[in-house]
Amino acid sequence: MADLMELTDENYADFIARQDGILLFYKSLCPHCKAIKKVMQRFAEKGSEALMAQIDTEANPQAVQALEVERVPTMILIKRGGIVGRKIGLLNVKELAELYKTI
Amino acid sequence: MNKDTYDVIIIGGGIAGMTAAIYAARANLRTVVLEREICGGLVNSTYMVENFPSYPAIHGMELMGKVSDHMRLLGVTVEEVTDIVEMKLGGEWKTVATDESAYDARAVILATGRKPVPLTVAEECQQVHYCSICDGIGYKDKRILVVGGGNSGFDEALYLRSLGVGHITLIEMADRFFASPLIQRELLACTNVSARTSTRVKAIVSQDRLKAVVLEDVVTGQIQEVSVDGIFVYMGQHPNTEMLRDCIDLDDSGYIVTGSRMETNISGVFAAGDVVQKIYRQITTAMADGTVAALAVERYLREHFGTSCLNHDDN
Ligand SMILES: Cc1cc2nc3c(=O)[nH]c(=O)nc-3n(C[C@H](O)[C@H](O)[C@H](O)COP(=O)(O)OP(=O)(O)OC[C@H]3O[C@@H](n4cnc5c(N)ncnc54)[C@H](O)[C@@H]3O)c2cc1C
């Protein structure tokens, strides 16, 4: 399984502006974050065009503040150079695919 | 849909399921673990484990990472974030179907553990949480309510305090706290903590976000509104046995009834860990169950179907 691209305070805004993708806000000792990461990897393996990235909330406070992330895991859904939705908490691969298609 | 054949299917990749997988793999059984989320189970959400022999203190997730690495090293097939949609446990061959594949085996170990008892309040509220490691970050300098006066409630309150939470109110419905005296002393000595027994959440007050909770004294009936920004719930656990209700013998509380070899009422189906009817639910007791279940599976397969169930060279 390919790892998610690791972003920081310096480059997350650029990712949002340029990619169709999903950005996961996570914490290293958070089991639900690890599960969502697996779900995103599975979604990518199934042929999703969305680029998958993650950002560590403990090391990147500016991104956390700017996007008002209060809980992990939070997924920021990005299309056409902008944020089109967000999803907090757990969901499965099918639900993620459906969510990303419909937003 | 793919169909894969194994010697044993383990449902649930918590410490019980992973221990069973390690023993089964070392007994040369082709083993698959099917896990709804990620391996590690409840222990993943325990900030610090301090009673696991060999580590005086270790993060739950780190400990489970080590067990998971050990299991994978032995060649166990591990399917995570997978949803089981159907199980046929009755015949000689058992089939478990997930959303993507189907698995056949002559033995199954059920190790699905437990899940938190939810707080029942009338409204859906985004600020009601069950995992402080996951959801604690937003509460620096804020006021929170912790529901549950057992070890989990006190432990998690201490963890939330370490994150810089402004004030903690801890409540317990019974007339005393059940946490160990040591941890009670540690938390109750803190200046920004108040705790009360015989108290329950009667309602929540929210407008977009949580504003307050209405607490009720269950003895006097007295009501008090307390402003809080978040609620963390540790009111105990329910067994994950909904999908087994029609086929496996369960006790009145929904726990699986097993014999001394962790066998259930169905031949070839075993169970291990917190999901089993027993008195003490700890990491070490779940490991013991997993060990017994795997050894009993090996024996069951050998006695009923000969030394090798599958041709291991055919993999
Ligand atoms: C807050 C808290 C703190 C604790 N602290 C300690 C401690 O410090 N020391 C200690 O020894 N014990 C502690 N315990 C107890 C310990 O966590 C449990 O005894 C242990 O986790 C039991 O392991 P298990 O594998 O049986 O179940 P679980 O850990 O619950 O694992 C079950 C697994 O099965 C999966 N599952 C469930 N249903 C399905 C399904 N349908 N399909 C696929 N997978 C499924 C779940 O996702 C989970 O991963 C604590 C418990 C709690 C709640």
Side-chain angles (χ1 to χ4, degrees), chain A residues 6 16 23 71 87 92 99 101:
Chain A
E6 190 76 45
I16 294 172
L23 173 56
R71 296 170 66 174
K87 169 77 187 142
N92 64 28
L99 178 67
K101 197 170 81 187

Side-chain angles (χ1 to χ4, degrees), chain B residues 182-204:
Chain B
L182 199 73
I183 181 177
Q184 283 194 41
R185 264 201 304 278
E186 191 179 342
L187 184 74
L188 300 179
C190 302
T191 48
N192 58 348
V193 172
S194 58
R196 42 176 112 166
T197 52
S198 305
T199 304
R200 73 176 189 108
V201 176
K202 190 172 166 59
I204 59 173

Side-chain angles (χ1 to χ4, degrees), chain B residues 10-19 33-53 58 63-64 79 82-84 87 110-116 130 151-153 155-156 234 236-237 240-243 272-276 278 280-287 289:
Chain B
I10 298 173
I11 302 178
I15 186 63
M18 289 197 289
T19 306
V33 173
L34 304 177
E35 166 56 50
R36 188 162 56 187
E37 295 177 15
I38 54 157
C39 286
L42 272 185
V43 184
N44 275 337
S45 312
T46 302
Y47 179 59
M48 204 55 90
V49 176
E50 295 179 339
N51 54 6
F52 186 79
I58 183 167
L63 180 63
M64 290 303 97
E79 294 294 343
T82 194
D83 280 330
I84 292 174
M87 283 199 289
L110 305 166
T112 49
R114 303 196 292 171
K115 59 169 179 293
Y130 297 86
N151 279 321
S152 309
D155 261 338
E156 302 297 318
Y234 303 100
Q237 311 277 326
N240 285 317
T241 48
E242 297 84 0
M243 62 179 176
D274 277 11
V275 74
V276 163
K278 59 179 174 177
Y280 298 114
R281 293 191 171 83
Q282 288 288 290
I283 298 171
T284 47
T285 61
M287 291 172 87
D289 291 350

Side-chain angles (χ1 to χ4, degrees), chain B residues 211-273:
Chain B
K211 296 271 180 244
V213 281
V214 179
L215 300 181
E216 180 186 34
D217 184 314
V218 292
V219 179
T220 63
Q222 205 177 351
I223 300 271
Q224 188 190 0
E225 193 171 303
V226 176
S227 10
V228 291
D229 303 294
I231 305 176
F232 286 81
V233 183
Y234 303 100
M235 299 195 304
Q237 311 277 326
H238 279 321
N240 285 317
T241 48
E242 297 84 0
M243 62 179 176
L244 304 170
R245 204 151 279 161
D246 297 330
C247 54
I248 299 278
D249 277 355
L250 306 177
D251 71 9
D252 292 345
S253 308
Y255 290 95
I256 301 174
V257 179
T258 57
S260 60
R261 293 180 190 174
M262 308 314 297
E263 75 278 17
T264 69
N265 58 309
I266 299 182
S267 172
V269 179
F270 299 75

Side-chain angles (χ1 to χ4, degrees), chain A residues 27-32 34-36 38-39 42 46 57 69-73 88 90 92-94, chain B residues 37-38 44-45 47 59 61-62 79-81 83 99-100 126 128-129 133-135 137-138 159 163 209:
Chain A
K27 223 174 129 173
S28 61
L29 280 180
C30 154
H32 291 170
K34 217 169 150 190
I36 284 294
K38 284 250 156 70
V39 168
R42 194 68 71 72
K46 283 177 170 265
T57 53
V69 171
E70 290 185 345
R71 296 170 66 174
V72 288
I88 299 167
L90 286 174
N92 64 28
V93 184
K94 223 189 255 170
Chain B
E37 295 177 15
I38 54 157
N44 275 337
S45 312
Y47 179 59
H59 289 301
M61 206 158 157
E62 189 187 345
E79 294 294 343
E80 295 180 307
V81 294
D83 280 330
D99 43 354
E100 292 186 346
Q126 284 285 320
V128 177
H129 310 283
I133 297 180
C134 311
D135 301 338
I137 50 165
Y159 172 69
L163 296 179
R209 296 187 62 90

